[in-house]
Structure formats: C-alpha cells, structure tokens
Amino acid sequence: SQQGEEDPQALSIQEGENATMNCSYKTSINNLQWYRQNSGRGLVHLILIRSNEREKHSGRLRVTLDTSKKSSSLLITASRAADTASYFCATEPGSGGSNYKLTFGKGTLLTVNP
Amino acid sequence: NAGVTQTPKFQVLKTGQSMTLQCAQDMNHEYMSWYRQDPGMGLRLIHYSVGAGITDQGEVPNGYNVSRSTTEDFPLRLLSAAPSQTSVYFCASSYSGGGRSSYGYTFGSGTRLTVV
C-alpha cells in the first residue's frame, strides 16, 4: 500500500514562479525523501529530511516536515522550464522489521511553462 | 563511476517466458532494491536486499525471485511472465537503509518490459 500521497497530482506554473508540493503519510517515519523523475528516466534523489528535523534547504529547494500532522512540503523557488518533471515523496519507516522499505507516493507532475 | 546499471533497457516477452533483469552497482552499497512503476500507481517495492546473501519481500513480490550473491549484483527473475507484469522496472541502491540513510537512493535508468 502507498505510504505517501502527494498533492496536487498535477501543477502547472510559469517560469519564475514558486512551486509547492505536499506529501502526507500514514505511519511513523525515520526520514522522508523527495525525488525527481524526468519523463522516461530514472529517479534522482533531491533531499532527505529526518524525523527530528523541521526544515531543510538545498539550493532552490526547501523542504518542511511536520511529524504531528504527518506531512511534508517541497518548495521550488524561481522555477525553470528544466524543473518540469514528476516529484515523489518517499518514507523510511521509523521502527520494526519493515524499516528497510522505502515507500513512495504516486507523485506530482510539475509543468513549468516558459 | 557508473552508478546503478540496468540491462536490458527494453524487453518484450511472450506470456509464460522467463527472463532475468540485471542490476549492478559499483558504489559498494549494501542495500539494493527492485521497484516497478505503473501509470497512476507510483513505485511499488518488489524485493530488497540488505547485503550479500540476504533478501526479503516487498509489497508486490509474487511472480518474482531475487538473489544476492555479491555486493554488486542484484538480479530480478521473472519466473513465468504474465501481461500483468508489463511495467517499468527500477533498481535502486543505497549506502545504508533501515532509517540510517543519509544520502538517499541511487536509481538505475529502468527496464521497460512488455509481456504479450
């Protein structure tokens, strides 16, 4: 079963605007990760945030994590056409024998129009 | 440094045939896994391995076998292909899993499999 659910399923913005994608999950986690997938390609790791962290930055990316609400958001600032891709959140469980299972959501398709 | 290499990139099988999808990594990662990606379903975990000689089932293991005889290789075997196994298959590796990850997972470029 899917652990994470991204919202929205699709997002279309103009170049230069900010893009925000959200992820909700169901069970306790050790960490949450965001990945990007360009059409027809493999996934690329963007950023990892641990359960004891609230915010993390990497270049134009900002990730927040609210464990009380079991949710995370990915903000891409000053978007570019090259940011057009699908974005997935993935979680590693917090405990138990299944804690090696990285579980993905269904993704948000971001389109950045030039 | 090639990362994660998957072969073949494309494959067409007839129902009932068997085949092996190859996955190799050169980063000395201890953790490797196989996912399938279907439209609207995201990625679903098939099998994973936490080290040579150790494998376990993921979310959708039926119809697939794996083995891990070396750190570098983690092949996925389809025993008797079915149309429901038509999908894009991704292999991924990580320096460590189980909540100890710091760097995320490295993915291969995928194998697009069609079963007719």
Side-chain angles (χ1 to χ4, degrees):
Chain A
S1 60
Q2 304 294 140
Q3 160 75 314
E5 288 287 339
E6 290 90 344
D7 172 63
Q9 289 186 326
L11 179 62
S12 181
I13 60 174
Q14 296 299 122
E15 210 166 20
E17 293 181 339
N18 296 341
T20 299
M21 289 159 271
N22 302 298
C23 171
S24 60
Y25 56 92
K26 299 173 185 174
T27 59
S28 67
I29 62 171
N30 182 282
N31 64 70
L32 186 144
Q33 304 174 30
W34 285 91
Y35 288 81
R36 183 187 75 234
Q37 183 180 35
N38 293 91
S39 181
R41 307 292 293 274
L43 280 76
V44 175
H45 178 255
L46 295 176
I47 197 164
L48 180 153
I49 185 166
R50 298 194 179 280
S51 60
N52 61 354
E53 297 176 310
R54 292 297 167 257
E55 187 171 312
K56 206 162 184 180
H57 297 255
S58 177
R60 293 184 295 113
L61 305 180
R62 172 179 170 256
V63 169
T64 61
L65 179 64
D66 186 335
T67 54
S68 67
K69 295 181 179 179
K70 291 186 170 60
S71 67
S72 173
S73 67
L74 171 67
L75 169 68
I76 303 174
T77 60
S79 62
R80 305 165 182 169
D83 294 328
T84 294
S86 291
Y87 291 82
F88 294 88
C89 70
T91 56
E92 276 195 328
S95 61
S98 64
N99 61 353
Y100 286 91
K101 296 181 179 179
L102 185 67
T103 306
F104 284 82
K106 296 180 181 180
T108 292
L109 176 60
L110 173 66
T111 302
V112 181
N113 301 298
Chain B
N1 189 340
V4 177
T5 302
Q6 288 185 239
T7 56
K9 293 190 183 305
F10 301 93
Q11 184 71 49
V12 178
L13 287 180
K14 294 182 179 179
T15 297
Q17 287 185 319
S18 62
M19 79 160 293
T20 299
L21 280 63
Q22 301 292 343
C23 175
Q25 52 91 9
D26 61 357
M27 298 170 285
N28 201 32
H29 285 172
E30 62 182 45
Y31 181 84
M32 297 185 74
S33 54
W34 277 101
Y35 289 86
R36 60 177 289 173
Q37 185 176 31
D38 302 293
M41 296 294 292
L43 281 84
R44 292 181 291 169
L45 182 64
I46 304 172
H47 285 285
Y48 64 98
S49 169
V50 301
I54 306 170
T55 64
D56 205 348
Q57 296 181 350
E59 181 185 354
V60 288
N62 293 340
Y64 307 94
N65 272 359
V66 292
S67 60
R68 184 99 179 267
S69 57
T70 66
T71 300
E72 294 78 19
D73 300 298
F74 190 43
L76 178 71
R77 297 183 188 85
L78 278 70
L79 308 174
S80 178
S84 61
Q85 294 178 303
T86 293
S87 187
V88 181
Y89 291 85
F90 289 100
C91 179
S93 73
S94 175
Y95 181 70
S96 61
R100 294 177 292 139
S101 301
S102 296
Y103 306 106
Y105 290 62
T106 301
F107 278 78
S109 58
T111 294
R112 188 174 296 274
L113 176 68
T114 302
V115 183
V116 298

